Structure formats: structure tokens, C-alpha cells
Amino acid sequence: MQAWAPTRRSHLLDLAALISGRVPLTQAEYDRITVPTFLVTGDSSVVHTVKMAEELQESLRNARGGCKLQVIRGGQECLHLPQSSAGFVNRFLCQFVTSVERDMAENPDNNAPLPLPKKLSEYMKGGLDVLAELMDDQKVKKREAKSIFSFSRTPPEGVKGMEAFIGQFKNGEKQAFNPLGKDGQPLRKFSERHDNQLFLSPQHGNLRDHSTAVGTMIDVPYVE
């Protein structure tokens, strides 16, 4: 997930609001997805079950080459993190990307990129036109293309509440402490000297020398 400095904390709320305000896609919206698609889940996941993945695969019926689904035996949540499943995820993902690249090379005429408008604003407005068609509501075209809520089907009252909540976090955020400089780099840096003098104690000496007592080696960089 994108990390934001305290001076831009409201951006994190934007993302949270977008996720919490999601509305299930209709089949017409699923049918607009035509790019190659790959799903991966674990058969032990209680959040993203195999049944849910199979239903999503069926809904993505217009995905180029058919939506691919890979189920990892014993996999639970966040499959890219545990060592027991991360290697499988990487391997399956590489295989999928390789197959897509092979298809693009063998069928260049069917994989020509769509022309994009020169201005981002035109591209965003085009997205609102598509959403208006899917929602059968021409008022959608008049939405502000720069707003994160404009591309959501969240009811107006829900959007109003989210905007009020985010507005509270925007107040004073520019005056909040920022650990980064104008160049985006941390204001404080780690020292290059050794940290053997850390955690000195008159009774026990250097805690690093007694790491066996706690079963781990402590190695914390000294901060100037």
C-alpha cells in the first residue's frame, strides 16, 4: 500500500473510503474487462474462498484467452507473504506474464494498444462517459473527473459522509510534522559508525553481548 507523509494524510483516507464504499460490479461491467486476467487464491482462505474465485472467473467471461485461476493448496491469506506460498505465487505469475507476452508476439494485430487522449482530463472524462452508460445515468457525465468519488457507484449520501470524514483529516494537515525534506528524503539519517555502545547497562553490560539470554541478536542502527 502507498505510504503517505503526515502532511498528506488525507490521501490515505481517500483510498480507505474508495475501498469501503465499493459496490459489487454488474455483469455488464465485468463484460467490459477484456484484458488477460489471472486469479490466484488459496484453498484454506476464509476471506477469498475458492468458490468466490470461481464465481469471479465465470464473471470475467470476456477476458482475453479466458480468465485464468490458480488455487494454491494450503494457501491462506496474503499468499505473496508466507514462504510456504510466495514462491508458488511468483512462479505462477511469471508463467502467466510469459504466456501473455507470447500471445502478443504471435498475434500483434490483435494486441495493438488503444490510442489515448493527449490530456489526462480527456481520458478521465471518457471514463465517466463509459460509467454513465453502464449506470444508465447521464448525470454521471457531469461529475468532477478529478474527484476520487466520481468513478464510484456509492450512493450520494454515502459519498457526502465520506467527504465530510476526509475533510476532518485535511484540516491542518499541511502544518503536520513531515519526516521528509523537500527532496523526499528523510531529514534524519542512520549513522555509519558501529553501534556496539548501544543498550549499555551498569548491571548487565552491553545487551548485544547477552543476546543468547533472549534467544536473538539485537542489531539496531544508531540514529543521530
Side-chain angles (χ1 to χ4, degrees):
M1 178 179 289
Q2 174 72 52
W4 299 103
T7 51
R8 304 184 67 188
R9 62 195 179 200
S10 60
H11 289 262
L12 181 59
L13 271 296
D14 276 343
L15 177 61
L18 181 64
I19 295 175
S20 62
R22 288 185 299 182
V23 177
L25 297 180
T26 63
Q27 187 57 54
E29 290 170 320
Y30 279 121
D31 289 344
R32 301 283 300 205
I33 301 175
T34 58
V35 296
T37 309
F38 174 64
L39 305 177
V40 57
T41 190
D43 62 1
S44 298
S45 174
V46 295
V47 178
H48 307 101
T49 64
V50 175
K51 181 180 179 181
M52 294 170 60
E54 291 174 343
E55 291 175 349
L56 180 58
Q57 180 187 32
E58 184 178 350
S59 297
L60 292 167
R61 58 193 182 188
N62 286 345
R64 181 177 176 82
C67 177
K68 306 296 190 301
L69 171 61
Q70 181 67 53
V71 178
I72 297 180
R73 182 179 300 176
Q76 299 180 358
E77 319 304 332
C78 301
L79 294 172
H80 61 293
L81 295 179
Q83 293 184 353
S84 59
S85 60
F88 292 108
V89 172
N90 290 336
R91 186 180 73 183
F92 295 142
L93 183 58
C94 288
Q95 291 175 348
F96 171 71
V97 172
T98 300
S99 67
V100 172
E101 292 177 339
R102 184 185 305 114
D103 177 69
M104 293 179 65
E106 295 175 353
N107 303 283
D109 295 337
N110 297 333
N111 291 282
L114 297 176
L116 298 178
K118 294 182 179 180
K119 294 183 178 181
L120 178 61
S121 58
E122 296 178 0
Y123 181 70
M124 302 300 282
K125 288 184 180 299
L128 287 178
D129 291 342
V130 174
L131 184 59
E133 176 186 344
L134 292 171
M135 295 179 61
D136 193 21
D137 184 357
Q138 296 304 308
K139 295 181 180 179
V140 173
K141 294 182 178 181
K142 299 181 180 180
R143 293 181 178 179
E144 173 54 56
K146 295 181 179 180
S147 172
I148 194 171
F149 295 111
S150 295
F151 296 86
S152 170
R153 291 197 288 111
T154 303
E157 58 273 13
V159 172
K160 185 177 181 180
M162 292 178 184
E163 290 179 333
F165 180 62
I166 294 175
Q168 296 178 2
F169 281 80
K170 285 186 177 181
N171 290 333
E173 73 175 347
K174 295 302 181 183
Q175 289 73 45
F177 169 74
N178 191 347
L180 305 179
K182 293 183 179 180
D183 59 354
Q185 298 300 316
L187 297 175
R188 305 174 71 187
K189 63 179 181 179
F190 291 108
S191 173
E192 296 178 356
R193 60 182 170 176
H194 296 289
D195 56 339
N196 293 329
Q197 77 281 13
L198 283 182
F199 304 109
L200 295 178
S201 169
Q203 293 80 18
H204 306 289
N206 191 333
L207 186 57
R208 286 171 54 89
D209 298 334
H210 298 271
S211 59
T212 54
V214 294
T216 183
M217 174 63 74
I218 299 176
D219 190 9
V220 182
Y222 181 78
V223 180
E224 295 180 336

